[in-house]
Amino acid sequence: MTEAPRAVVEMRDISVVFPGVKALDGVDFTLRAGEVHTLMGENGAGKSTLIKALTGVYAISGGTIVVEGRERVFRSTADAQAAGISTVYQEVNLCTNLSVGENVMLGHEVRRLGRIDWRATHREAARHLAALRVDIDTHSALGSHSIALQQLVAISRAMVTDARVLVLDEPTSSLDRGEVEQLFAVVRDLRDRGVAILFVTHFLDQVYEISDRLTVLRNGRLIGEHLAADLPRGELISQMIGRELDELEAISRAAERTVDRTAAPVLRATGVGRKGVLEPVDVEVYDGEVVGIAGLLGSGRTELVRLLYGADRPDTGETEVRGAPARITNPRHAIDRRIAFSSEDRRAEGVIGDLTVAENMVLGVQAQRGALRKIGKAEQDAIVAEYMTALGIRPADPHALLRNLSGGNQQKVLLARWLATAPQLLILDEPTRGIDVGAKADIQRKVAELSAQGLAVVFISSELEEVVRISQRIAVMRDRRKISELDAIGIHVDDLVDVIAQESPLHTAETTPSHQKPETTPSHKKPENAA
């Protein structure tokens, strides 16, 4: 039996307690030299808290941290860095107005006679970058480079101190496939040099591509540690969410139902477009129907729904709501017609972190009524209690500041805001981006329930499995135009990928009304086990 690699970090019986919340409860965690160890769990499971305990952001309430055989007490991030632990965060924490070399060597510049020797500093920066196989002009402005290269610069900066532990917190969230491969090549090089790497991501394919070992947390507790090769994907998902894949299969089965399209659609958009932004598009959404919008980044998905909602003003086309002409050129027009829109940019256009959970939830209802008709406390309490329970928002504290909730729970609060307005059409743009598989399942299940109850939904996700799982019809976008419309019942993700990649649609031309389209036999079944 092969002996396990040497432990660099041992966290034993770690507890972290905040007022009224036990974020970590007796967790054990070990990082080994020359391994990529991925920390898994749904939002709120304790991943971020464990990382912050290791990197000195949070003081532990109980337990011990041992680094290279020596017990440590981290009172700050500087303490953790001094112990050889460096972190690269999801949002690159660099100075884009400075040069690449200045960023790499920030705080570690070469000095001679009390002054910075910039020539020597840039030589050192180039040497550290070369160690990661990065060939770049160190005098160039960091902001002129891609996010992927900025990530590599951040890693190079972290390794200037010869870190023995590298924490990568969601480093691939903004990268395309080629950039991910470039990053992973660097990660593997560091691993082969003996660095212990703690990796966090929500992308399951990447987990199995890069990980040597997995640790699963749930509700602040350790569920298990496994070699990645020994843990099947389905078992991993079950451990993370605490429930079997039957729930995801049930969501898929719930979507496989007939939608009544004999009455006027809730929304019919004909030739809606905007010059230079989106070619004219036709869209119909009926009561109880989920219409998925599928396509690659830049295909026009978001541009389409923003025009439907009036967040951007269309310059062509006509819109009807339940058969009556409707002028929707700004969000106020949409709200007046009970159309709700959840933006893909949750931080900038959705949640307000400095307000409480309750205040965020009732914003939509207040917007409907206007500033002069304030919502009474009893009504506000009833709205908040209903949706905190219905959506399983954690912690169940309406007075908590929203910024202190996990991403998945923030997304649930945003969904609650719009459901409280009793919409007849709900437009969701990337509602599960950047959240864990458990929260994704919760949101998918709620969308399926709402559509079964008669709500019309437009759903965008870059994860095609989600679009296929919960939709009855799918509009396929490419190059900022609609290229096809598919009956989603019974199709497989591979079918959808084929349509996106090729001109020929699977079913029929988009000009044929969806309820008159002939049936076809798909080559695959609808996926039942993707998260």
Side-chain angles (χ1 to χ4, degrees), residues 161-174:
T161 57
D162 293 323
R164 295 184 291 278
V165 175
L166 180 62
V167 180
L168 298 176
D169 187 6
E170 293 283 359
T172 64
S173 60
S174 300

Side-chain angles (χ1 to χ4, degrees), residues 209-222:
E209 182 178 352
I210 196 67
S211 306
D212 299 298
R213 197 177 298 267
L214 307 173
T215 285
V216 182
L217 301 181
R218 188 171 73 239
N219 297 329
R221 298 186 177 215
L222 174 68

Side-chain angles (χ1 to χ4, degrees), residues 461-474:
S461 175
S462 55
E463 297 190 28
L464 298 182
E465 293 89 347
E466 286 189 325
V467 177
V468 170
R469 181 181 301 120
I470 70 170
S471 302
Q472 283 78 48
R473 277 189 300 131
I474 301 174

